């Protein structure tokens, strides 16, 4: 019988030591189970959760030093090469790759739910035409809970599954509607003759005036981008979804909270910010001054698309994204795309710079995705929307896992209080 591993917390002021269990997973670092600390009158302090594991999970594994990313044990490189997005959705949700019949049934179920209630169209007219599509997404996805009262009992496994299908199927439809509303074109209804990604491209770019068929090379590239973005362990937006779900909020509200968090430029908004940065740099001759700005403490400028909380080596998704960039630009005859060439040069200079080497700052998934999406004709303000529709399955799978976790409790962190000590009220005429 191997001895249970423990951490002993000792104090230098005579406070009795505290024994804490050390837990091991199948992969990755062990964790110190600190749940008993509050009984001893202590909390831990970890702003940004840099040293905190928030839950047990079996969905996604990341090794930041080795630059590894597995969905249910399958390396992202193999899934990006051989799988399709709905198969990856099945894998993330159910834990295994589907058989042929299982995949056919799953794909068919998704297709049954791609339309949204026709009254949802009216929400859009309440927004300014130039509203950012992420603002619309937060509102309209959250509003789905106003239409599906029949499947909001999260304790009911059937309700959870129906809600998962509805979200997976309807978020691309809503995303495309955001784009159509922005550009003043009519909404295009889903076409069930097309596959998931082809249908999204159809709803984005088709018009009632003519026939539209997705370019197969671009559709495959977008499929790969969506596979790369499908899940990523306990990132900020996934943790937001889990926290919202821990209070019992319905899945539509939880996913809307994830979309809101993803929008930030430090997270999913980075792909849009990378393009704005490249356009601001404009020319290779100006790269040096921006690299210098990124290093300065007194300058808030960050090299967008660089750095990561977990990856202290190359983000494996960035490598695949760079290759996808080459493919798409070659297919479109844009291999001399000035922004792509600028990005390659910026990446080369940064990777050879001592500051970035010392701080282990490498390109992340967002560095190249914006260039690919822009080349495909997707407007910059839709980049994070594409990230959100790809990550919806990750959020749903993580939410689903949390609801089924026997250790699941409402998330309620504490604090280190530094405010005023108790004092008495002073009447206005005495102040
Ligand atoms: C995503 O968590 C996930 O998994 C997210 C994601 C997913 O799939 O869900 O992978 C998607 O969000 C990718 C990240 C996209 N964001 C960006 O590209 C924005 C630019 N990157 C930075 O904002 C930053 O690198 C973060 C937010 C990504 C990570 O921030 P951390 O982990 O809090 O790191 P940090 O800010 O503490 O940085 C450590 C040091 C700091 O210097 P010191 O204070 O130690 O002197 O590195 C510096 C930072 O100033 N640094 C950068 C930098 N990123 C970090 N300096 C210049 N440029 C950068 N991009």
């Amino acid at each position: 019988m191997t001895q249970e591993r423990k951490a002993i917390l000792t104090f230098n002021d005579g406070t009795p030591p505290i024994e804490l269990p050390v837990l091991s997973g199948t992969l990755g670092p062990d964790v110190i189970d600190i749940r008993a600390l509050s009984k001893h009158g202590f909390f831990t302090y970890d702003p940004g959760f840099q040293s905190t594991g928030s839950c047990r999970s079996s969905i996604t594994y990341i090794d930041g030093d080795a630059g590894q990313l597995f969905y249910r044990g399958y390396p992202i490189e193999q899934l990006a090469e051989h799988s399709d997005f709905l198969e990856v959705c099945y894998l993330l949700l159910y834990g295994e790759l589907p058989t042929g019949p299982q995949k056919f049934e799953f794909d068919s179920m998704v297709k049954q739910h791609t339309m949204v209630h026709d009254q949802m169209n009216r929400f859009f007219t309440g927004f300014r035409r130039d509203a950012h599509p992420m603002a619309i997404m937060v509102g309209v996805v959250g509003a789905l809970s106003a239409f599906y009262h029949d499947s909001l009992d999260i304790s009911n496994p059937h309700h959870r599954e129906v809600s998962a299908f509805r979200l997976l199927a309807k978020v691309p439809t809503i995303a495309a509607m955001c784009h159509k509303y922005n550009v003043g074109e009519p909404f295009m209804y889903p076409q069930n003759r097309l596959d998931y990604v082809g249908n999204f491209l159809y709803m984005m770019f088709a018009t009632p005036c003519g026939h539209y068929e997705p370019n197969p090379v671009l559709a495959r590239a977008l499929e790969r981008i969506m596979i790369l973005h499908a899940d990523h362990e306990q990132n900020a937006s996934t943790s937001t979804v889990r926290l919202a779900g821990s209070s019992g909020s319905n899945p539509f509200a939880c996913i809307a909270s994830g979309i809101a968090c993803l929008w930030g430029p430090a997270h999913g908004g980075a792909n849009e910010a990378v393009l704005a940065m490249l356009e601001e740099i404009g020319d290779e001759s100006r790269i040096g001054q921006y690299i210098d700005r990124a290093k300065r403490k007194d300058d808030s400028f960050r090299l967008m698309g660089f750095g990561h909380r977990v990856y202290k080596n190359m983000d494996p998704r960035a490598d695949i994204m760079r290759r996808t960039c080459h493919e798409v630009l070659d297919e479109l005859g844009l291999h001399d795309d000035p922004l792509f060439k600028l990005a390659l040069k910026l990446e080369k200079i940064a990777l050879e710079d001592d500051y970035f080497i010392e701080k282990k700052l490498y390109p992340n998934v967002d560095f190249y995705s914006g260039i690919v999406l822009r080349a495909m004709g997707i407007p910059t303000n839709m980049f994070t929307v594409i990230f959100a529709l790809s990550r919806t399955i990750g959020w749903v799978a993580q939410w689903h896992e949390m609801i089924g976790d026997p250790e699941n409790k409402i998330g309620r962190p504490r604090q280190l209080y530094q405010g005023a000590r108790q004092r008495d009220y002073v009447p206005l005429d005495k102040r």
Side-chain angles (χ1 to χ4, degrees), residues 267-324:
H267 190 14
N271 51 20
E272 183 175 347
V274 167
L275 220 73
M277 174 186 73
L278 290 173
E279 284 165 347
E280 183 183 332
I281 294 172
D283 181 83
E284 292 186 9
S285 62
R286 289 159 47 90
I287 289 176
Q289 61 184 290
Y290 281 86
I291 296 273
D292 291 342
R293 282 189 58 194
K295 301 185 214 176
R296 285 214 314 255
K297 281 279 152 261
D298 60 350
D299 191 329
S300 61
F301 174 77
R302 286 280 180 278
L303 210 52
M304 302 315 283
F306 261 75
H308 198 278
R309 173 62 58 77
V310 178
Y311 290 121
K312 300 309 174 192
N313 197 322
M314 196 56 150
D315 179 337
R317 302 169 297 177
D319 264 334
I320 301 168
M321 195 62 76
R322 189 193 302 108
R323 287 202 308 273
T324 304

Side-chain angles (χ1 to χ4, degrees), residues 23-42:
L23 309 177
S24 300
T26 44
L27 293 170
D30 289 347
V31 297
I32 299 173
D33 183 345
I34 57 162
R35 285 176 287 182
L37 267 186
S38 53
K39 296 189 184 73
H40 295 272
F42 288 100

Side-chain angles (χ1 to χ4, degrees), residues 379-401:
T380 307
N381 68 3
M382 283 292 291
F383 290 179
T384 310
V385 173
I386 305 276
F387 194 153
L389 78 82
S390 308
R391 185 56 57 88
T392 293
I393 185 56
W395 291 330
V396 168
Q398 298 270 353
W399 169 79
H400 205 270
E401 181 180 66

Side-chain angles (χ1 to χ4, degrees), residues 234-279:
Q234 305 312 317
N235 59 84
S237 53
T238 298
S239 299
T240 302
V241 170
R242 279 180 171 261
L243 197 55
S246 74
S247 75
S249 286
N250 71 71
F252 305 106
C254 293
I255 299 309
S257 72
I259 294 172
C261 177
L262 185 76
W263 194 4
H267 190 14
N271 51 20
E272 183 175 347
V274 167
L275 220 73
M277 174 186 73
L278 290 173
E279 284 165 347

Side-chain angles (χ1 to χ4, degrees), residues 167 337 422:
L167 280 159
D337 178 273
Q422 183 174 344

Side-chain angles (χ1 to χ4, degrees), residues 223-245:
E223 180 124 55
R224 196 180 301 150
I225 291 172
M226 292 171 67
I227 289 171
L228 295 180
H229 286 80
D231 192 52
H232 212 239
E233 196 218 68
Q234 305 312 317
N235 59 84
S237 53
T238 298
S239 299
T240 302
V241 170
R242 279 180 171 261
L243 197 55

